[in-house]
Amino acid sequence: MPPHDDRPVLTGLLALVGVGLAVGLVLGGGALAVTRVLGVDGGSATTATTDVASLYLPKPQKTDAPSGPLLTLSADPKKGSAPSEKPKKPKKTKKAEGEISLSAGQTQVAPMGQIDLTGVYPGGEGRVLQVEKFVGGNWQDFPVTAVVSNETFTTFVQTSSQGVNRFRVVDNDSGTSSNDVRVTVG
């Protein structure tokens, strides 16, 4: 027996490493050649490229001040011109403008369970409403707000105070408050 057959596992491992190294070099060289031909390597490519600015900014020039009015004003009704059509009557809503209607999605939850609060605030577009909780005979700010969008709002609260909890929302800008909702916790 030749001396190199004493360790067949080592011989097999060395052969495997040698074949892997040879295949890796061939594939790496091929990939390098392909990237150079396609110009992907960032170096010189077979097609010429030019360095042209892609953004054109003209030099600032002074402009003249506007000569006419900046706003288009409607015709003055005192001078005899009347609107071409009658004004449309506003749509009636269930709640009068400025009244906040609040409802709770749940009537009973576990401690720290989610209580969904939704409501309608006609005419309150964009207003931020502060949620308040009734504690010890007084309304106190709860650390949650809701923003009115399309005259509606939605938010949720969580509390660990067991028993009946009362919540409402207040528009601090106008002082308008909603009806209160009662949710049993526990």
PDB file of all heavy atoms in Angstrom, residues 21-61:
ATOM      1  N   LEU A  21     -11.790  25.345  -5.123  1.00  0.00           N
ATOM      2  CA  LEU A  21     -10.967  26.501  -5.438  1.00  0.00           C
ATOM      3  C   LEU A  21     -10.862  26.717  -6.944  1.00  0.00           C
ATOM      4  O   LEU A  21     -10.980  27.850  -7.434  1.00  0.00           O
ATOM      5  CB  LEU A  21      -9.576  26.316  -4.817  1.00  0.00           C
ATOM      6  CG  LEU A  21      -8.664  27.524  -4.800  1.00  0.00           C
ATOM      7  CD1 LEU A  21      -9.287  28.663  -4.018  1.00  0.00           C
ATOM      8  CD2 LEU A  21      -7.314  27.153  -4.215  1.00  0.00           C
ATOM      9  N   ALA A  22     -10.691  25.662  -7.687  1.00  0.00           N
ATOM     10  CA  ALA A  22     -10.597  25.767  -9.145  1.00  0.00           C
ATOM     11  C   ALA A  22     -11.920  26.260  -9.736  1.00  0.00           C
ATOM     12  O   ALA A  22     -11.935  27.151 -10.604  1.00  0.00           O
ATOM     13  CB  ALA A  22     -10.204  24.413  -9.749  1.00  0.00           C
ATOM     14  N   VAL A  23     -13.040  25.720  -9.291  1.00  0.00           N
ATOM     15  CA  VAL A  23     -14.351  26.135  -9.815  1.00  0.00           C
ATOM     16  C   VAL A  23     -14.619  27.595  -9.433  1.00  0.00           C
ATOM     17  O   VAL A  23     -15.114  28.379 -10.246  1.00  0.00           O
ATOM     18  CB  VAL A  23     -15.469  25.207  -9.282  1.00  0.00           C
ATOM     19  CG1 VAL A  23     -16.850  25.770  -9.577  1.00  0.00           C
ATOM     20  CG2 VAL A  23     -15.331  23.816  -9.882  1.00  0.00           C
ATOM     21  N   GLY A  24     -14.269  27.995  -8.211  1.00  0.00           N
ATOM     22  CA  GLY A  24     -14.470  29.370  -7.782  1.00  0.00           C
ATOM     23  C   GLY A  24     -13.670  30.357  -8.604  1.00  0.00           C
ATOM     24  O   GLY A  24     -14.157  31.428  -8.955  1.00  0.00           O
ATOM     25  N   LEU A  25     -12.417  30.007  -8.916  1.00  0.00           N
ATOM     26  CA  LEU A  25     -11.601  30.892  -9.743  1.00  0.00           C
ATOM     27  C   LEU A  25     -12.156  31.030 -11.145  1.00  0.00           C
ATOM     28  O   LEU A  25     -12.178  32.122 -11.713  1.00  0.00           O
ATOM     29  CB  LEU A  25     -10.155  30.374  -9.791  1.00  0.00           C
ATOM     30  CG  LEU A  25      -9.333  30.598  -8.514  1.00  0.00           C
ATOM     31  CD1 LEU A  25      -7.978  29.885  -8.626  1.00  0.00           C
ATOM     32  CD2 LEU A  25      -9.134  32.067  -8.261  1.00  0.00           C
ATOM     33  N   VAL A  26     -12.623  29.932 -11.721  1.00  0.00           N
ATOM     34  CA  VAL A  26     -13.195  29.992 -13.076  1.00  0.00           C
ATOM     35  C   VAL A  26     -14.462  30.838 -13.077  1.00  0.00           C
ATOM     36  O   VAL A  26     -14.645  31.704 -13.942  1.00  0.00           O
ATOM     37  CB  VAL A  26     -13.466  28.570 -13.612  1.00  0.00           C
ATOM     38  CG1 VAL A  26     -14.294  28.600 -14.882  1.00  0.00           C
ATOM     39  CG2 VAL A  26     -12.158  27.825 -13.848  1.00  0.00           C
ATOM     40  N   LEU A  27     -15.355  30.621 -12.120  1.00  0.00           N
ATOM     41  CA  LEU A  27     -16.603  31.397 -12.071  1.00  0.00           C
ATOM     42  C   LEU A  27     -16.330  32.862 -11.755  1.00  0.00           C
ATOM     43  O   LEU A  27     -16.961  33.760 -12.325  1.00  0.00           O
ATOM     44  CB  LEU A  27     -17.555  30.812 -11.030  1.00  0.00           C
ATOM     45  CG  LEU A  27     -18.188  29.463 -11.384  1.00  0.00           C
ATOM     46  CD1 LEU A  27     -19.046  28.970 -10.227  1.00  0.00           C
ATOM     47  CD2 LEU A  27     -19.016  29.565 -12.650  1.00  0.00           C
ATOM     48  N   GLY A  28     -15.393  33.140 -10.863  1.00  0.00           N
ATOM     49  CA  GLY A  28     -15.053  34.526 -10.541  1.00  0.00           C
ATOM     50  C   GLY A  28     -14.473  35.261 -11.728  1.00  0.00           C
ATOM     51  O   GLY A  28     -14.797  36.420 -11.992  1.00  0.00           O
ATOM     52  N   GLY A  29     -13.597  34.584 -12.471  1.00  0.00           N
ATOM     53  CA  GLY A  29     -13.025  35.201 -13.672  1.00  0.00           C
ATOM     54  C   GLY A  29     -14.091  35.475 -14.717  1.00  0.00           C
ATOM     55  O   GLY A  29     -14.089  36.516 -15.377  1.00  0.00           O
ATOM     56  N   GLY A  30     -15.016  34.549 -14.885  1.00  0.00           N
ATOM     57  CA  GLY A  30     -16.113  34.752 -15.837  1.00  0.00           C
ATOM     58  C   GLY A  30     -16.992  35.917 -15.433  1.00  0.00           C
ATOM     59  O   GLY A  30     -17.402  36.739 -16.261  1.00  0.00           O
ATOM     60  N   ALA A  31     -17.315  36.041 -14.133  1.00  0.00           N
ATOM     61  CA  ALA A  31     -18.138  37.149 -13.654  1.00  0.00           C
ATOM     62  C   ALA A  31     -17.424  38.479 -13.847  1.00  0.00           C
ATOM     63  O   ALA A  31     -18.039  39.480 -14.231  1.00  0.00           O
ATOM     64  CB  ALA A  31     -18.489  36.944 -12.178  1.00  0.00           C
ATOM     65  N   LEU A  32     -16.120  38.502 -13.605  1.00  0.00           N
ATOM     66  CA  LEU A  32     -15.346  39.714 -13.813  1.00  0.00           C
ATOM     67  C   LEU A  32     -15.362  40.144 -15.269  1.00  0.00           C
ATOM     68  O   LEU A  32     -15.530  41.322 -15.595  1.00  0.00           O
ATOM     69  CB  LEU A  32     -13.904  39.492 -13.328  1.00  0.00           C
ATOM     70  CG  LEU A  32     -12.966  40.693 -13.433  1.00  0.00           C
ATOM     71  CD1 LEU A  32     -13.473  41.834 -12.567  1.00  0.00           C
ATOM     72  CD2 LEU A  32     -11.558  40.296 -13.039  1.00  0.00           C
ATOM     73  N   ALA A  33     -15.222  39.181 -16.171  1.00  0.00           N
ATOM     74  CA  ALA A  33     -15.242  39.494 -17.607  1.00  0.00           C
ATOM     75  C   ALA A  33     -16.603  40.032 -18.026  1.00  0.00           C
ATOM     76  O   ALA A  33     -16.691  40.998 -18.788  1.00  0.00           O
ATOM     77  CB  ALA A  33     -14.879  38.245 -18.415  1.00  0.00           C
ATOM     78  N   VAL A  34     -17.669  39.435 -17.526  1.00  0.00           N
ATOM     79  CA  VAL A  34     -19.019  39.879 -17.889  1.00  0.00           C
ATOM     80  C   VAL A  34     -19.265  41.298 -17.377  1.00  0.00           C
ATOM     81  O   VAL A  34     -19.818  42.137 -18.096  1.00  0.00           O
ATOM     82  CB  VAL A  34     -20.076  38.896 -17.344  1.00  0.00           C
ATOM     83  CG1 VAL A  34     -21.471  39.473 -17.452  1.00  0.00           C
ATOM     84  CG2 VAL A  34     -19.998  37.576 -18.088  1.00  0.00           C
ATOM     85  N   THR A  35     -18.844  41.618 -16.142  1.00  0.00           N
ATOM     86  CA  THR A  35     -19.083  42.966 -15.617  1.00  0.00           C
ATOM     87  C   THR A  35     -18.298  44.014 -16.375  1.00  0.00           C
ATOM     88  O   THR A  35     -18.771  45.131 -16.558  1.00  0.00           O
ATOM     89  CB  THR A  35     -18.725  43.050 -14.123  1.00  0.00           C
ATOM     90  OG1 THR A  35     -17.364  42.664 -13.940  1.00  0.00           O
ATOM     91  CG2 THR A  35     -19.639  42.187 -13.284  1.00  0.00           C
ATOM     92  N   ARG A  36     -17.105  43.660 -16.859  1.00  0.00           N
ATOM     93  CA  ARG A  36     -16.329  44.630 -17.640  1.00  0.00           C
ATOM     94  C   ARG A  36     -16.955  44.872 -18.998  1.00  0.00           C
ATOM     95  O   ARG A  36     -16.977  45.991 -19.487  1.00  0.00           O
ATOM     96  CB  ARG A  36     -14.894  44.157 -17.797  1.00  0.00           C
ATOM     97  CG  ARG A  36     -14.168  44.242 -16.480  1.00  0.00           C
ATOM     98  CD  ARG A  36     -12.726  44.409 -16.665  1.00  0.00           C
ATOM     99  NE  ARG A  36     -12.123  44.577 -15.345  1.00  0.00           N
ATOM    100  CZ  ARG A  36     -10.856  44.724 -15.158  1.00  0.00           C
ATOM    101  NH1 ARG A  36     -10.043  44.723 -16.190  1.00  0.00           N
ATOM    102  NH2 ARG A  36     -10.385  44.873 -13.953  1.00  0.00           N
ATOM    103  N   VAL A  37     -17.472  43.831 -19.609  1.00  0.00           N
ATOM    104  CA  VAL A  37     -18.106  43.990 -20.918  1.00  0.00           C
ATOM    105  C   VAL A  37     -19.386  44.816 -20.798  1.00  0.00           C
ATOM    106  O   VAL A  37     -19.666  45.672 -21.630  1.00  0.00           O
ATOM    107  CB  VAL A  37     -18.405  42.602 -21.561  1.00  0.00           C
ATOM    108  CG1 VAL A  37     -19.305  42.734 -22.764  1.00  0.00           C
ATOM    109  CG2 VAL A  37     -17.107  41.901 -21.930  1.00  0.00           C
ATOM    110  N   LEU A  38     -20.144  44.581 -19.756  1.00  0.00           N
ATOM    111  CA  LEU A  38     -21.404  45.313 -19.571  1.00  0.00           C
ATOM    112  C   LEU A  38     -21.196  46.691 -18.958  1.00  0.00           C
ATOM    113  O   LEU A  38     -22.126  47.483 -18.909  1.00  0.00           O
ATOM    114  CB  LEU A  38     -22.359  44.504 -18.701  1.00  0.00           C
ATOM    115  CG  LEU A  38     -22.848  43.183 -19.298  1.00  0.00           C
ATOM    116  CD1 LEU A  38     -23.718  42.446 -18.289  1.00  0.00           C
ATOM    117  CD2 LEU A  38     -23.618  43.424 -20.582  1.00  0.00           C
ATOM    118  N   GLY A  39     -20.034  46.975 -18.445  1.00  0.00           N
ATOM    119  CA  GLY A  39     -19.775  48.283 -17.848  1.00  0.00           C
ATOM    120  C   GLY A  39     -20.341  48.429 -16.453  1.00  0.00           C
ATOM    121  O   GLY A  39     -20.574  49.533 -15.984  1.00  0.00           O
ATOM    122  N   VAL A  40     -20.551  47.335 -15.768  1.00  0.00           N
ATOM    123  CA  VAL A  40     -21.127  47.364 -14.436  1.00  0.00           C
ATOM    124  C   VAL A  40     -20.071  47.642 -13.373  1.00  0.00           C
ATOM    125  O   VAL A  40     -20.376  48.091 -12.285  1.00  0.00           O
ATOM    126  CB  VAL A  40     -21.848  46.022 -14.128  1.00  0.00           C
ATOM    127  CG1 VAL A  40     -22.457  46.011 -12.752  1.00  0.00           C
ATOM    128  CG2 VAL A  40     -22.902  45.756 -15.170  1.00  0.00           C
ATOM    129  N   ASP A  41     -18.820  47.448 -13.686  1.00  0.00           N
ATOM    130  CA  ASP A  41     -17.767  47.561 -12.686  1.00  0.00           C
ATOM    131  C   ASP A  41     -17.424  48.990 -12.311  1.00  0.00           C
ATOM    132  O   ASP A  41     -16.641  49.221 -11.408  1.00  0.00           O
ATOM    133  CB  ASP A  41     -16.508  46.830 -13.152  1.00  0.00           C
ATOM    134  CG  ASP A  41     -15.866  47.462 -14.381  1.00  0.00           C
ATOM    135  OD1 ASP A  41     -16.546  48.263 -15.040  1.00  0.00           O
ATOM    136  OD2 ASP A  41     -14.698  47.149 -14.672  1.00  0.00           O
ATOM    137  N   GLY A  42     -17.970  49.984 -12.988  1.00  0.00           N
ATOM    138  CA  GLY A  42     -17.706  51.370 -12.660  1.00  0.00           C
ATOM    139  C   GLY A  42     -16.488  51.918 -13.381  1.00  0.00           C
ATOM    140  O   GLY A  42     -16.201  53.099 -13.317  1.00  0.00           O
ATOM    141  N   GLY A  43     -15.768  51.068 -14.071  1.00  0.00           N
ATOM    142  CA  GLY A  43     -14.607  51.515 -14.831  1.00  0.00           C
ATOM    143  C   GLY A  43     -15.019  51.902 -16.237  1.00  0.00           C
ATOM    144  O   GLY A  43     -16.161  52.233 -16.513  1.00  0.00           O
ATOM    145  N   SER A  44     -14.072  51.867 -17.149  1.00  0.00           N
ATOM    146  CA  SER A  44     -14.390  52.226 -18.527  1.00  0.00           C
ATOM    147  C   SER A  44     -15.205  51.115 -19.169  1.00  0.00           C
ATOM    148  O   SER A  44     -14.955  49.939 -18.965  1.00  0.00           O
ATOM    149  CB  SER A  44     -13.099  52.456 -19.323  1.00  0.00           C
ATOM    150  OG  SER A  44     -12.339  51.252 -19.364  1.00  0.00           O
ATOM    151  N   ALA A  45     -16.190  51.483 -19.938  1.00  0.00           N
ATOM    152  CA  ALA A  45     -17.055  50.530 -20.605  1.00  0.00           C
ATOM    153  C   ALA A  45     -16.831  50.626 -22.098  1.00  0.00           C
ATOM    154  O   ALA A  45     -16.191  51.547 -22.597  1.00  0.00           O
ATOM    155  CB  ALA A  45     -18.517  50.828 -20.270  1.00  0.00           C
ATOM    156  N   THR A  46     -17.390  49.675 -22.828  1.00  0.00           N
ATOM    157  CA  THR A  46     -17.225  49.694 -24.273  1.00  0.00           C
ATOM    158  C   THR A  46     -18.043  50.810 -24.902  1.00  0.00           C
ATOM    159  O   THR A  46     -17.696  51.304 -25.952  1.00  0.00           O
ATOM    160  CB  THR A  46     -17.643  48.341 -24.883  1.00  0.00           C
ATOM    161  OG1 THR A  46     -18.983  48.071 -24.507  1.00  0.00           O
ATOM    162  CG2 THR A  46     -16.730  47.231 -24.392  1.00  0.00           C
ATOM    163  N   THR A  47     -19.136  51.225 -24.245  1.00  0.00           N
ATOM    164  CA  THR A  47     -19.922  52.350 -24.757  1.00  0.00           C
ATOM    165  C   THR A  47     -19.474  53.605 -24.037  1.00  0.00           C
ATOM    166  O   THR A  47     -19.218  53.594 -22.838  1.00  0.00           O
ATOM    167  CB  THR A  47     -21.433  52.126 -24.525  1.00  0.00           C
ATOM    168  OG1 THR A  47     -21.643  51.986 -23.126  1.00  0.00           O
ATOM    169  CG2 THR A  47     -21.926  50.904 -25.252  1.00  0.00           C
ATOM    170  N   ALA A  48     -19.368  54.683 -24.755  1.00  0.00           N
ATOM    171  CA  ALA A  48     -18.886  55.939 -24.176  1.00  0.00           C
ATOM    172  C   ALA A  48     -19.995  56.594 -23.363  1.00  0.00           C
ATOM    173  O   ALA A  48     -21.146  56.632 -23.772  1.00  0.00           O
ATOM    174  CB  ALA A  48     -18.434  56.877 -25.283  1.00  0.00           C
ATOM    175  N   THR A  49     -19.640  57.102 -22.198  1.00  0.00           N
ATOM    176  CA  THR A  49     -20.589  57.855 -21.382  1.00  0.00           C
ATOM    177  C   THR A  49     -20.067  59.269 -21.257  1.00  0.00           C
ATOM    178  O   THR A  49     -18.870  59.521 -21.302  1.00  0.00           O
ATOM    179  CB  THR A  49     -20.735  57.245 -19.975  1.00  0.00           C
ATOM    180  OG1 THR A  49     -19.471  57.246 -19.335  1.00  0.00           O
ATOM    181  CG2 THR A  49     -21.283  55.844 -20.043  1.00  0.00           C
ATOM    182  N   THR A  50     -20.983  60.207 -21.096  1.00  0.00           N
ATOM    183  CA  THR A  50     -20.587  61.601 -20.962  1.00  0.00           C
ATOM    184  C   THR A  50     -21.035  62.107 -19.609  1.00  0.00           C
ATOM    185  O   THR A  50     -22.027  61.656 -19.050  1.00  0.00           O
ATOM    186  CB  THR A  50     -21.233  62.467 -22.058  1.00  0.00           C
ATOM    187  OG1 THR A  50     -22.642  62.333 -21.968  1.00  0.00           O
ATOM    188  CG2 THR A  50     -20.754  62.048 -23.436  1.00  0.00           C
ATOM    189  N   ASP A  51     -20.305  63.040 -19.083  1.00  0.00           N
ATOM    190  CA  ASP A  51     -20.665  63.653 -17.814  1.00  0.00           C
ATOM    191  C   ASP A  51     -21.500  64.889 -18.097  1.00  0.00           C
ATOM    192  O   ASP A  51     -20.982  65.991 -18.253  1.00  0.00           O
ATOM    193  CB  ASP A  51     -19.412  64.031 -17.035  1.00  0.00           C
ATOM    194  CG  ASP A  51     -18.630  62.810 -16.589  1.00  0.00           C
ATOM    195  OD1 ASP A  51     -19.267  61.777 -16.330  1.00  0.00           O
ATOM    196  OD2 ASP A  51     -17.409  62.912 -16.483  1.00  0.00           O
ATOM    197  N   VAL A  52     -22.819  64.706 -18.159  1.00  0.00           N
ATOM    198  CA  VAL A  52     -23.733  65.802 -18.423  1.00  0.00           C
ATOM    199  C   VAL A  52     -24.541  66.045 -17.163  1.00  0.00           C
ATOM    200  O   VAL A  52     -25.012  65.107 -16.527  1.00  0.00           O
ATOM    201  CB  VAL A  52     -24.682  65.450 -19.605  1.00  0.00           C
ATOM    202  CG1 VAL A  52     -25.685  66.557 -19.820  1.00  0.00           C
ATOM    203  CG2 VAL A  52     -23.877  65.192 -20.853  1.00  0.00           C
ATOM    204  N   ALA A  53     -24.702  67.293 -16.810  1.00  0.00           N
ATOM    205  CA  ALA A  53     -25.499  67.622 -15.634  1.00  0.00           C
ATOM    206  C   ALA A  53     -26.938  67.213 -15.874  1.00  0.00           C
ATOM    207  O   ALA A  53     -27.500  67.429 -16.944  1.00  0.00           O
ATOM    208  CB  ALA A  53     -25.414  69.114 -15.347  1.00  0.00           C
ATOM    209  N   SER A  54     -27.538  66.596 -14.858  1.00  0.00           N
ATOM    210  CA  SER A  54     -28.913  66.147 -15.006  1.00  0.00           C
ATOM    211  C   SER A  54     -29.923  67.149 -14.466  1.00  0.00           C
ATOM    212  O   SER A  54     -31.101  66.928 -14.561  1.00  0.00           O
ATOM    213  CB  SER A  54     -29.091  64.810 -14.296  1.00  0.00           C
ATOM    214  OG  SER A  54     -28.845  64.978 -12.916  1.00  0.00           O
ATOM    215  N   LEU A  55     -29.461  68.231 -13.888  1.00  0.00           N
ATOM    216  CA  LEU A  55     -30.356  69.226 -13.320  1.00  0.00           C
ATOM    217  C   LEU A  55     -29.939  70.601 -13.804  1.00  0.00           C
ATOM    218  O   LEU A  55     -28.796  70.998 -13.660  1.00  0.00           O
ATOM    219  CB  LEU A  55     -30.282  69.177 -11.787  1.00  0.00           C
ATOM    220  CG  LEU A  55     -31.129  70.188 -11.038  1.00  0.00           C
ATOM    221  CD1 LEU A  55     -32.605  69.930 -11.277  1.00  0.00           C
ATOM    222  CD2 LEU A  55     -30.836  70.119  -9.556  1.00  0.00           C
ATOM    223  N   TYR A  56     -30.872  71.317 -14.379  1.00  0.00           N
ATOM    224  CA  TYR A  56     -30.589  72.650 -14.884  1.00  0.00           C
ATOM    225  C   TYR A  56     -31.320  73.658 -14.017  1.00  0.00           C
ATOM    226  O   TYR A  56     -32.540  73.582 -13.858  1.00  0.00           O
ATOM    227  CB  TYR A  56     -31.053  72.791 -16.342  1.00  0.00           C
ATOM    228  CG  TYR A  56     -30.993  74.216 -16.827  1.00  0.00           C
ATOM    229  CD1 TYR A  56     -29.778  74.827 -17.098  1.00  0.00           C
ATOM    230  CD2 TYR A  56     -32.155  74.960 -17.003  1.00  0.00           C
ATOM    231  CE1 TYR A  56     -29.720  76.134 -17.523  1.00  0.00           C
ATOM    232  CE2 TYR A  56     -32.106  76.263 -17.432  1.00  0.00           C
ATOM    233  CZ  TYR A  56     -30.888  76.853 -17.692  1.00  0.00           C
ATOM    234  OH  TYR A  56     -30.824  78.152 -18.109  1.00  0.00           O
ATOM    235  N   LEU A  57     -30.582  74.565 -13.421  1.00  0.00           N
ATOM    236  CA  LEU A  57     -31.182  75.638 -12.638  1.00  0.00           C
ATOM    237  C   LEU A  57     -30.855  76.965 -13.301  1.00  0.00           C
ATOM    238  O   LEU A  57     -29.692  77.335 -13.421  1.00  0.00           O
ATOM    239  CB  LEU A  57     -30.620  75.647 -11.215  1.00  0.00           C
ATOM    240  CG  LEU A  57     -31.019  74.484 -10.316  1.00  0.00           C
ATOM    241  CD1 LEU A  57     -30.289  74.572  -8.992  1.00  0.00           C
ATOM    242  CD2 LEU A  57     -32.505  74.492 -10.080  1.00  0.00           C
ATOM    243  N   PRO A  58     -31.862  77.704 -13.744  1.00  0.00           N
ATOM    244  CA  PRO A  58     -31.590  79.005 -14.338  1.00  0.00           C
ATOM    245  C   PRO A  58     -31.139  79.990 -13.266  1.00  0.00           C
ATOM    246  O   PRO A  58     -31.429  79.824 -12.083  1.00  0.00           O
ATOM    247  CB  PRO A  58     -32.933  79.415 -14.940  1.00  0.00           C
ATOM    248  CG  PRO A  58     -33.939  78.671 -14.146  1.00  0.00           C
ATOM    249  CD  PRO A  58     -33.277  77.387 -13.740  1.00  0.00           C
ATOM    250  N   LYS A  59     -30.438  81.018 -13.692  1.00  0.00           N
ATOM    251  CA  LYS A  59     -30.001  82.044 -12.757  1.00  0.00           C
ATOM    252  C   LYS A  59     -31.209  82.864 -12.322  1.00  0.00           C
ATOM    253  O   LYS A  59     -32.081  83.184 -13.130  1.00  0.00           O
ATOM    254  CB  LYS A  59     -28.966  82.956 -13.413  1.00  0.00           C
ATOM    255  CG  LYS A  59     -27.654  82.254 -13.657  1.00  0.00           C
ATOM    256  CD  LYS A  59     -26.601  83.205 -14.167  1.00  0.00           C
ATOM    257  CE  LYS A  59     -25.298  82.460 -14.336  1.00  0.00           C
ATOM    258  NZ  LYS A  59     -24.211  83.349 -14.746  1.00  0.00           N
ATOM    259  N   PRO A  60     -31.309  83.200 -11.042  1.00  0.00           N
ATOM    260  CA  PRO A  60     -32.445  83.993 -10.568  1.00  0.00           C
ATOM    261  C   PRO A  60     -32.471  85.369 -11.216  1.00  0.00           C
ATOM    262  O   PRO A  60     -31.432  85.990 -11.433  1.00  0.00           O
ATOM    263  CB  PRO A  60     -32.205  84.112  -9.061  1.00  0.00           C
ATOM    264  CG  PRO A  60     -31.203  83.064  -8.730  1.00  0.00           C
ATOM    265  CD  PRO A  60     -30.426  82.802  -9.961  1.00  0.00           C
ATOM    266  N   GLN A  61     -33.691  85.819 -11.530  1.00  0.00           N
ATOM    267  CA  GLN A  61     -33.876  87.145 -12.100  1.00  0.00           C
ATOM    268  C   GLN A  61     -34.923  87.872 -11.278  1.00  0.00           C
ATOM    269  O   GLN A  61     -35.881  87.279 -10.794  1.00  0.00           O
ATOM    270  CB  GLN A  61     -34.354  87.049 -13.552  1.00  0.00           C
ATOM    271  CG  GLN A  61     -33.342  86.389 -14.462  1.00  0.00           C
ATOM    272  CD  GLN A  61     -33.884  86.255 -15.881  1.00  0.00           C
ATOM    273  OE1 GLN A  61     -35.045  86.518 -16.144  1.00  0.00           O
ATOM    274  NE2 GLN A  61     -33.021  85.847 -16.784  1.00  0.00           N
TER     275      GLN A  61
END
